[in-house]
């Protein structure tokens, strides 16, 4: 029996800028995202019965049509008229409700895995279309890496440059629902982030300038709700991080460090302060 295992890496936002509200109710976003080597894994195997079986090692995950993995399998089966079944298993390492794109990356990995399993030979555009039907971060996660994302999330452009850095990730014990953050956005007063500058500094491999340009328009809203986010950032910076920033709509915060020694210092400073701390690298 063929089993295909696909890696689903977490992402962090080096930049997130809200450009305004669209007529369809969504916000126009400009983002720079990079993948890190904290990964979930999706295993897919064929079934004779025409059904979708889904399980996970994470008891907190719904293993039904509410889960993006299941949604991806359903969409592909329907779109391509697949009349055989599939068994899906999700090994979860990325914290849930963390702003690290775990669910979106899981869905993207499912699309890639089923493309192989069922030999669908989907084009990149077809994969992106399925991804966008699931969620706005999924198109980025199809290819992952270091990219600029715009529109609702459907426009993904690879950045011609590589960020090699240690990353210390902290997931506080509380979650923040993205859906509840966006209604609070005031396009007139929100902090703006220069995404062009971040892209330019990555392309020029100018780490210090990139660090100076990083920012997240949603930070102020999430920190006003949960001041602990700012405390984590302050602790990271005081222990020698080059940068500390919230990712997505939060609550997770990451620090960038050029050396592993620096990263170890940041990790040690967070012991006893936060339970979920991860030392990873950019991919």
């Amino acid at each position: 029996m063929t089993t295909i295992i696909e890696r689903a890496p977490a992402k962090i936002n080096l930049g997130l800028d809200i450009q305004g509200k669209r007529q369809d109710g969504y916000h126009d976003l400009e983002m720079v995202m990079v993948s890190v080597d904290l990964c979930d894994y999706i295993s897919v195997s064929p079934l004779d019965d025409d059904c979708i079986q889904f399980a996970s090692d994470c008891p907190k995950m719904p293993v039904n049509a509410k889960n993006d993995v299941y949604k991806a399998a359903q969409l592909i089966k329907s779109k391509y008229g697949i009349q055989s079944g599939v068994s899906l298993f999700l090994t979860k390492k990325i914290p849930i409700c963390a702003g690290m794109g775990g669910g979106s990356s899981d869905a993207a990995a499912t699309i890639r895995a089923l493309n192989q399993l069922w030999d669908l030979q989907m084009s990149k555009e077809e994969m992106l279309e399925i991804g966008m039907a699931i969620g706005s971060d999924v198109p980025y996660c199809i290819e992952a890496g270091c990219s600029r994302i715009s529109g609702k999330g459907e426009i993904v452009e690879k950045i011609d440059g590589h960020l090699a850095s240690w990353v210390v990730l902290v997931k506080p014990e509380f979650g923040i629902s993205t859906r509840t953050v966006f209604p609070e956005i005031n396009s007139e007063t929100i902090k703006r982030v220069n995404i062009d500058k971040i892209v330019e500094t990555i392309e020029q491999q100018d780490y210090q300038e990139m660090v100076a340009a990083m920012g997240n328009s949603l930070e102020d809203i999430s920190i006003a709700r949960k001041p602990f986010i700012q405390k984590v950032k302050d602790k990271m910076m005081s222990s020698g991080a080059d940068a500390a920033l919230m990712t997505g709509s939060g609550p997770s915060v990451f620090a960038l460090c050029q050396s592993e020694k620096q990263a170890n210092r940041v990790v040690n400073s967070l012991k006893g302060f936060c339970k979920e701390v991860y030392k990873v690298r950019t991919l």
Side-chain angles (χ1 to χ4, degrees), residues 9-12 33-37 140 143-146 281-283:
K11 62 85 183 167
I12 53 174
M33 291 189 197
V34 66
S35 304
V36 297
D37 62 1
Y140 158 73
E143 283 200 272
C146 188
R281 285 195 63 102
T282 52
L283 286 173

Side-chain angles (χ1 to χ4, degrees), residues 97-108:
C97 299
M100 296 184 207
S104 298
S105 195
D106 295 343

Side-chain angles (χ1 to χ4, degrees), residues 3-137:
T3 297
I4 291 163
I5 299 172
E6 208 40 59
R7 183 173 73 165
K11 62 85 183 167
I12 53 174
N13 289 87
L14 302 178
L16 190 160
D17 184 48
I18 306 290
Q19 301 207 304
K21 200 166 187 180
R22 302 154 57 107
Q23 289 191 323
D24 61 9
Y26 284 90
H27 284 81
D28 266 320
L29 305 174
E30 283 270 340
M31 299 178 283
V32 175
M33 291 189 197
V34 66
S35 304
V36 297
D37 62 1
L38 174 65
C39 303
D40 292 345
Y41 292 88
I42 294 284
S43 305
V44 300
S45 310
L47 286 179
D48 293 332
D49 294 337
D50 187 7
C51 65
I52 298 169
Q53 287 181 4
F54 179 37
S56 173
D57 64 351
C58 176
K60 292 178 183 174
M61 296 292 293
V63 284
N64 52 30
K66 289 182 180 176
N67 192 293
D68 288 347
V69 168
Y70 196 101
K71 282 180 198 169
Q74 257 184 335
L75 274 169
I76 292 170
K77 254 178 82 60
S78 167
K79 183 178 170 83
Y80 292 95
I82 305 294
Q83 295 186 340
S84 54
V86 64
S87 169
L88 304 149
F89 189 84
L90 170 61
T91 304
K92 198 83 187 128
K93 303 287 183 194
I94 303 169
I96 56 176
C97 299
M100 296 184 207
S104 298
S105 195
D106 295 343
T110 305
I111 294 167
R112 292 194 304 269
L114 292 178
N115 187 40
Q116 283 185 69
L117 185 77
W118 289 328
D119 193 23
L120 299 173
Q121 297 175 24
M122 279 190 254
S123 66
K124 182 182 160 188
E125 287 67 32
E126 287 172 306
M127 286 193 186
L128 295 179
E129 194 182 314
I130 292 165
M132 197 63 211
I134 298 165
S136 58
D137 276 350

Side-chain angles (χ1 to χ4, degrees), residues 50-265:
D50 187 7
C51 65
I52 298 169
Q53 287 181 4
F54 179 37
S56 173
D57 64 351
C58 176
K60 292 178 183 174
M61 296 292 293
V63 284
N64 52 30
K66 289 182 180 176
N67 192 293
D68 288 347
V69 168
Y70 196 101
K71 282 180 198 169
Q74 257 184 335
L75 274 169
I76 292 170
K77 254 178 82 60
S78 167
K79 183 178 170 83
Y80 292 95
I82 305 294
Q83 295 186 340
S84 54
V86 64
S87 169
L88 304 149
F89 189 84
L90 170 61
T91 304
K92 198 83 187 128
K93 303 287 183 194
I94 303 169
I96 56 176
C97 299
M100 296 184 207
S104 298
S105 195
D106 295 343
T110 305
I111 294 167
R112 292 194 304 269
L114 292 178
N115 187 40
Q116 283 185 69
L117 185 77
W118 289 328
D119 193 23
L120 299 173
Q121 297 175 24
M122 279 190 254
S123 66
K124 182 182 160 188
E125 287 67 32
E126 287 172 306
M127 286 193 186
L128 295 179
E129 194 182 314
I130 292 165
M132 197 63 211
I134 298 165
S136 58
D137 276 350
V138 182
Y140 158 73
C141 294
I142 298 282
E143 283 200 272
C146 188
S147 299
R148 179 184 192 144
I149 296 94
S150 46
K152 292 186 289 186
E154 77 281 13
I155 304 163
V156 182
E157 301 163 275
K158 281 280 189 191
I159 295 172
D160 185 18
H162 181 62
L163 168 67
S165 178
W166 289 91
V167 182
V168 179
L169 282 163
V170 165
K171 164 62 173 73
E173 289 183 44
F174 51 86
I176 291 178
S177 166
T178 304
R179 287 189 189 92
T180 64
V181 171
F182 275 86
E184 289 187 38
I185 292 168
N186 180 337
S187 298
E188 303 298 312
T189 58
I190 198 159
K191 179 171 72 181
R192 298 299 304 276
V193 179
N194 188 340
I195 297 297
D196 287 340
K197 180 73 173 168
I198 299 171
V199 172
E200 186 185 305
T201 56
I202 294 169
E203 287 175 342
Q204 292 170 350
Q205 300 286 281
D206 191 334
Y207 180 80
Q208 297 305 333
E209 284 295 314
M210 184 204 72
V211 161
M214 283 165 51
N216 183 337
S217 290
L218 299 177
E219 235 183 22
D220 291 346
I221 296 169
S222 295
I223 287 171
R225 287 186 182 189
K226 300 286 185 183
F228 184 74
I229 293 168
Q230 186 63 50
K231 287 183 182 174
V232 175
K233 285 185 65 181
D234 292 344
K235 207 159 186 59
M236 287 171 158
M237 292 305 290
S238 66
S239 57
D242 296 323
L245 194 68
M246 185 181 84
T247 186
S249 56
S252 297
V253 179
F254 69 91
L256 292 188
C257 302
Q258 273 192 298
S259 73
E260 188 174 11
K261 193 175 174 183
Q262 254 178 303
N264 288 339
R265 270 206 308 275

